[in-house]
């Protein structure tokens, strides 16, 4: 990347898990940065954060924070994005928004680089980063969509608590210890911190992520359904999702049933997956090899295995998809988008 | 149950979790027992076990153990059942076998009382108790099958480690503590104790229960597929299963997609489930009420919630089914069968 244009980059929400991963990836990937601005709430302003051997002082994120900024990452919640993204856009920045604020906005491209990177050119200042569970699903299914067409997806998720933030991680770990010590458990965060009823997550499975809608689905499930159609650019795609929180810290797993539009050869399917960008095929039943959250944690790729022909529908197959929800599911997908922006300029 | 016939009952495999639950249920349900014989391997013979205030000495299970026995419960593994059940049958006992040894035998009824209790009359000395994951699925779906017909079931499971035995429970608990204490983890039991490769279960999700078959499905998945068809008495039923072990001690959860043969009213579906024997409808999104493994543990019923119309297929619906895998999934279903046998004599 020598002689390359350098960018003024802002990261909003640097105290959150995703913000921290974005900073780490910008450093590790050697992103061509001229000036890096780290933005957070007033409470965190003044904190110093190390970046490539230098200390950067965190500043309060305000509408005026974006003067001269080329690329701004947002992962401080939907409300902050709705408040500040318009100002960043007005200042001339391209905003990569990790919240759900603009994902379904028809003017805003919703991008997973392995699926629809060309959409970044249609941006009007905002590129939305999809929901974590959606990203690993569409990244894996894209080569099958292109080769055979997909008519229907039925997915059940096994989601890590880190998707609900640092306090949810703390809750799982301390609650697990309490259960092991046979102490009374007092849930305080999960399933949804802003809702009144809390449930134990340690040694349990909670079939609720985000709030319920009138149709009986949760917001998280509707995100998977609607975002998958938007990213694939196919409103005829039938998608059903059940989203479940399980006692895992990092790494979302997904049990996926897929109906293709054409007959397929299962070896060709595996070969397409093995050769797809960003996808690692881990599939050898004889060696008990399949993706595991414990092994996907900390990695950038999406892992797929248990790929097998359905026994009752000859055009269907089943698989198990795992990825680190904070990396490909959030920070890495956002930094990938930034890398493509940088390459094009 | 006064003036009722009393039965000579044998329980084979009384050191296992299921055997212990069978003994507890026989006591709590006041099963009409004349003589109770507790049988185990030679190693455990001589142990004394309390039953209704009396001490019973455990005897070694041998082909001669079943003289005069009316009802024999087997839960000591498939090999023991294959070895001893024929002798028990020859002695005139009705055997309720909790292993997979006879489940798919065409001569042996495979019984879930809420679904096909009439089949017990066809027994030739053996009645098979289905796989835990299958029981809660068919018990819940039976009222919908009767009312609308079912063409297709796609199920992903979230299974507790107690299904893999006491050593798997110990492994989850001690491994969880090791992870919390940041110690190295050394998996020794799961996913399948007799296979060479072991995986961490603490804070993880393992998409393997039992061994793999050549078609890429596991034995556990094939049990769900084949047993569901046999119990429902419908070989045209299309079933797909993905079975996953998660860090839960007691209680299997299932994410289930069901295609009905007829249009349905969602309130009628809920009403059918609420009124079905052995089923408890826990379904109120506004109050964040849905089944949880932590609450189903120790209970005899099967719990169902998250019941909602599918958004892409008007004849399909989705639901979340939870039950204690050692109780309705094993010991309670077996004792229920025995209660029906007792009632008929």
């Amino acid at each position: 990347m020598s002689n390359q244009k350098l960018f003024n980059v802002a990261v909003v929400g640097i105290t959150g898990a995703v913000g921290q991963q974005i900073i780490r990836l910008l450093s590790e990937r050697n992103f061509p940065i001229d000036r890096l601005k780290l933005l957070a709430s007033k409470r965190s302003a003044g904190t110093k954060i190390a970046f490539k051997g230098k200390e950067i002082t965190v500043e309060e994120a305000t509408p005026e924070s974006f003067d001269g900024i080329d690329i701004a990452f947002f992962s401080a919640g939907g409300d902050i994005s709705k408040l500040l993204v318009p100002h960043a856009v007005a200042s001339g920045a391209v905003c990569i928004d990790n919240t759900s604020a603009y994902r379904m906005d028809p003017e805003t491209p919703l991008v997973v680089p392995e699926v629809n990177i060309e959409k970044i050119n249609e941006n009007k200042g905002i590129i939305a980063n999809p929901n974590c569970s959606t990203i690993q699903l569409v990244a894996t299914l894209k080569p099958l969509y292109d080769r055979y067409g997909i008519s229907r997806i039925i997915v059940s998720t096994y989601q890590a608590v880190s998707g609900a933030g640092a306090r949810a991680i703390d809750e799982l770990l301390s609650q697990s210890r309490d259960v092991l010590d046979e102490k009374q458990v007092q849930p305080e965060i999960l399933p949804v911190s802003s809702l009144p009823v809390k449930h134990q997550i340690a040694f349990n499975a909670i079939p609720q992520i985000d709030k319920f809608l009138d149709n009986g689905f949760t917001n998280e499930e509707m995100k998977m359904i609607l975002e998958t159609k938007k990213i694939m650019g196919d409103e005829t795609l039938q998608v059903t999702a059940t989203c479940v929180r399980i006692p895992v810290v990092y790494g979302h797993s997904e049990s996926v049933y897929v109906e293709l539009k054409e007959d397929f050869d299962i070896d060709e399917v595996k070969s397409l997956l093995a050769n797809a960008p960003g996808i690692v095929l881990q599939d050898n039943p004889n060696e008990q090899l399949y993706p595991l959250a414990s092994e996907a944690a900390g990695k950038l790729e999406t892992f797929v295995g248990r790929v097998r022909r359905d026994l009752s529908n000859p055009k269907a197959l089943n698989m198990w998809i795992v990825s680190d929800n904070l990396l490909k599911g959030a920070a890495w997908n956002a930094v990938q988008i930034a890398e493509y922006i940088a390459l094009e300029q």
Side-chain angles (χ1 to χ4, degrees), chain A:
Chain A
M1 287 196 175
S2 58
N3 294 323
Q4 204 192 337
K5 185 184 164 186
L6 299 181
F7 296 84
N8 292 331
V9 174
V11 182
V12 182
I14 56 92
T15 51
V18 175
Q20 286 171 13
Q21 292 299 326
I22 288 173
I23 296 170
R24 186 177 69 79
L25 287 167
L26 289 174
S27 169
E28 286 183 11
R29 300 282 303 178
N30 225 359
F31 192 82
I33 291 177
D34 183 10
R35 186 160 57 91
L36 179 62
K37 206 162 182 177
L38 302 182
L39 300 167
S41 65
K42 196 170 186 174
R43 198 163 41 106
S44 301
T47 316
K48 289 181 194 311
I49 289 187
F51 183 81
K52 291 191 168 186
K54 285 196 297 189
E55 275 203 336
I56 300 180
T57 303
V58 175
E59 299 170 50
E60 182 187 356
T62 70
E64 292 72 41
S65 298
F66 303 93
D67 274 0
I69 293 295
D70 302 304
I71 297 173
F73 294 93
F74 283 82
S75 62
D79 290 343
I80 300 291
S81 287
K82 279 181 194 150
L83 192 71
L84 294 182
V85 162
H87 295 281
V89 172
S91 301
V94 176
C95 299
I96 302 172
D97 184 24
N98 195 52
T99 78
S100 63
Y102 296 95
R103 285 182 192 151
M104 295 312 296
D105 170 19
E107 303 283 292
T108 302
L110 183 64
V111 174
V112 176
E114 292 82 355
V115 181
N116 62 346
I117 189 61
E118 69 283 357
K119 290 283 176 190
I120 64 171
N121 299 316
E122 298 173 12
N123 88 74
K124 296 177 178 172
I126 315 173
I127 299 168
N129 212 37
N131 179 266
C132 45
S133 318
T134 311
I135 292 177
Q136 65 187 66
L137 181 70
V138 296
T140 306
L141 294 185
K142 174 65 171 170
L144 307 186
Y145 185 91
D146 288 346
R147 170 69 181 79
Y148 309 104
I150 293 178
S151 51
R152 169 169 266 271
I153 300 165
I154 297 173
V155 55
S156 295
T157 71
Y158 303 67
Q159 293 185 231
V161 297
S162 53
R167 289 194 307 159
I169 298 178
D170 292 344
E171 175 165 62
L172 170 60
L173 298 179
S174 68
Q175 215 177 65
S176 298
R177 203 179 279 279
D178 286 347
V179 171
L180 292 171
D181 293 342
E182 295 178 19
K183 286 186 192 157
Q184 190 72 30
V185 159
Q186 199 84 54
E188 288 174 0
I189 308 292
L190 291 169
V192 183
S193 62
S194 63
L195 290 182
V197 179
K198 310 297 180 190
H199 295 301
Q200 177 181 326
I201 181 62
F203 305 102
N204 209 8
I206 305 178
Q208 176 181 12
I209 297 180
D210 211 332
K211 297 176 182 173
F212 282 103
L213 304 176
D214 286 342
N215 62 9
F217 284 78
T218 59
N219 248 325
E220 181 85 354
E221 289 159 356
M222 290 311 298
K223 285 177 189 173
M224 289 196 78
I225 294 168
L226 299 174
E227 293 180 17
T228 297
K229 294 181 187 193
K230 179 169 177 177
I231 299 164
M232 291 297 208
D234 183 351
E235 285 300 315
T236 71
L237 197 55
Q238 299 187 325
V239 185
T240 295
T242 300
C243 292
V244 181
R245 191 78 72 189
I246 65 165
V248 165
V249 181
Y250 302 108
H252 287 355
S253 303
E254 296 177 350
S255 167
V256 185
Y257 166 91
V258 189
E259 277 176 16
L260 304 179
K261 288 189 173 167
E262 292 178 21
D263 291 332
F264 64 91
D265 177 81
I266 193 75
D267 290 329
E268 187 186 45
V269 164
K270 291 184 189 179
S271 165
L272 287 167
L273 292 170
N275 292 303
I279 306 298
V280 176
L281 180 71
Q282 287 186 324
D283 196 355
N284 187 339
N286 288 333
E287 296 180 356
Q288 297 173 258
L289 177 69
Y290 32 71
L292 293 169
S294 59
E295 293 178 10
K299 305 217 172 75
L300 301 185
E301 295 88 350
T302 297
F303 301 86
V304 60
R306 299 288 332 266
V307 181
R308 59 204 194 277
R309 181 180 289 281
D310 197 71
L311 299 178
S312 52
N313 183 336
K315 286 191 180 161
L317 69 162
N318 301 282
M319 61 184 76
W320 178 252
I321 301 172
V322 181
S323 193
D324 189 318
N325 50 302
L326 297 184
L327 296 177
K328 182 56 184 168
W332 170 229
N333 198 74
V335 171
Q336 269 184 305
I337 291 170
E339 289 188 349
Y340 279 96
I341 293 171
L343 274 177
E344 299 217 337
Q345 299 201 349

